[in-house]
Amino acid sequence: MMEFLIEPVVRAALAEDLGRAGDLTGQACIPADARMDGVFAARKAGVAAGVDAVRIAVRMLDAEAVVETLVTDGQAFGAGAALVRVQAKARALLAAERTALNILGRMCGIATLTRAYVEAVKGTQARIADTRKTTPGLRALEKHAVACGGGMNHRFGLDDAVLIKDNHVVVCGGVGPAVRRARAHVGHLVKIEVEVDSLDQLDQALVERPDVVMLDNFSLAALHEAVERAKTSPFGRPVLEASGGVTLETVGDIARTGVDVISVGALTHSAPVLDIGLDAA
């Protein structure tokens, strides 16, 4: 992962944890010259993401630490797998431990959950995408973790593309006016997506030829019908994105309706942290 993205997060997290006086426990109990060999090991199987966080966190406190990453981002591993091996000053390693584990566990958890969704739609044309439902300040890291799990990133922010949601439609007076306003405003390289919550709104959207139509909280039957209407539309078929309340139990059936993309907020807002620990070697 690009270091310039993760380094500021690690730096802020270390500053939060070390506070005004540093690690009082390490200072009190551990000789200044003591060294420690440690292994960051997985307690459960998962998918790697953010392994650079360990190296960055440890070396911020011990510039001469030897850090060996044993897996690469996107690589699957089993329970008990060693992910990173470290040789460092004991005070530094133990002070960096929680920051490294918090970031590594969070990112591996997202990558692991994403991989489960990707596996659930295998054999269909649907791709799994994330949303902007991310932890403030951690979006770049969390979206990287989604990519490590095999998912694709939706827009990173409000400035990436036009996504006309239900409230935009209400304020603009309808799907058609909203799409037309958007097209008149943005450049030719900016894609336009519009959210619809009924088949009637889908018909209104198709006339306007948006790049993407988001089918929000559609039933399976409605999704099947939406795919057929888009396929036979004289205005061309946009990319169809299903969204809303998607779970691991339902995502396979949704994918088999023929939609192109399934966006899942749970990838980032509900992924469990993967259990990883530091073991003295």
Side-chain angles (χ1 to χ4, degrees):
M1 185 179 185
M2 290 179 287
E3 188 164 319
F4 77 90
L5 288 176
I6 197 167
E7 184 173 326
V9 175
V10 173
R11 189 177 301 279
L14 282 173
E16 177 183 58
D17 210 19
L18 293 170
R20 297 165 296 174
D23 179 10
L24 295 181
T25 308
Q27 294 168 20
C29 300
I30 299 175
D33 60 351
R35 297 192 62 79
M36 179 180 174
D37 294 350
V39 174
F40 287 81
R43 311 301 192 216
K44 293 184 177 181
V47 177
V51 292
D52 281 346
V54 177
R55 174 180 55 80
I56 293 169
V58 173
R59 285 187 176 166
M60 278 186 177
L61 301 184
D62 179 3
E64 297 179 355
V66 177
V67 183
E68 180 185 6
T69 55
L70 305 174
V71 296
T72 58
D73 281 1
Q75 180 179 336
F77 52 80
L83 307 182
V84 184
R85 184 176 291 116
V86 181
Q87 296 174 316
K89 295 176 181 177
R91 286 185 180 181
L93 178 52
L94 293 176
E97 173 185 3
R98 179 44 52 197
T99 290
L101 287 173
N102 283 349
I103 297 173
L104 181 61
R106 172 71 177 150
M107 294 183 68
C108 287
I110 291 171
T112 301
L113 182 61
T114 302
R115 183 67 56 84
Y117 273 90
V118 170
E119 289 295 321
V121 302
K122 187 171 286 186
T124 74
Q125 69 182 29
R127 298 184 66 188
I128 299 297
D130 56 26
T131 70
R132 285 169 44 245
K133 296 175 182 176
T134 55
T135 307
L138 299 183
R139 180 170 295 171
L141 274 61
E142 293 180 347
K143 282 182 171 283
H144 171 74
V146 168
C148 289
M152 70 176 185
N153 296 144
H154 213 286
R155 45 178 195 163
F156 264 74
L158 294 171
D159 59 344
D160 278 7
V162 172
L163 204 176
I164 302 166
K165 303 280 283 182
D166 52 354
N167 287 329
H168 297 102
V169 169
V170 170
V171 174
C172 289
V175 169
V179 176
R180 290 192 293 272
R181 282 174 176 267
R183 182 166 288 111
H185 177 77
V186 300
H188 67 291
L189 293 180
V190 179
K191 288 194 173 184
I192 297 174
E193 178 173 10
V194 61
E195 174 187 290
V196 301
D197 57 20
S198 69
L199 290 168
D200 285 344
Q201 281 194 334
L202 171 64
D203 291 338
Q204 297 168 37
L206 291 173
V207 173
E208 304 299 334
R209 295 184 170 89
D211 299 290
V212 187
V213 176
M214 179 187 292
L215 308 168
D216 187 48
N217 285 300
F218 274 45
S219 67
L220 289 177
L223 287 173
H224 278 287
E225 177 61 22
V227 170
E228 287 304 310
R229 291 191 187 190
K231 187 186 303 182
T232 58
S233 170
F235 306 103
R237 185 192 186 285
V239 171
L240 296 178
E241 174 185 338
S243 182
V246 180
T247 68
L248 272 174
E249 291 69 36
T250 63
V251 70
D253 288 337
I254 293 171
R256 284 185 283 274
T257 65
V259 296
D260 306 294
V261 178
I262 304 173
S263 53
V264 186
L267 299 183
T268 51
H269 72 59
S270 296
V273 172
L274 195 74
D275 189 4
I276 301 169
L278 172 62
D279 300 324

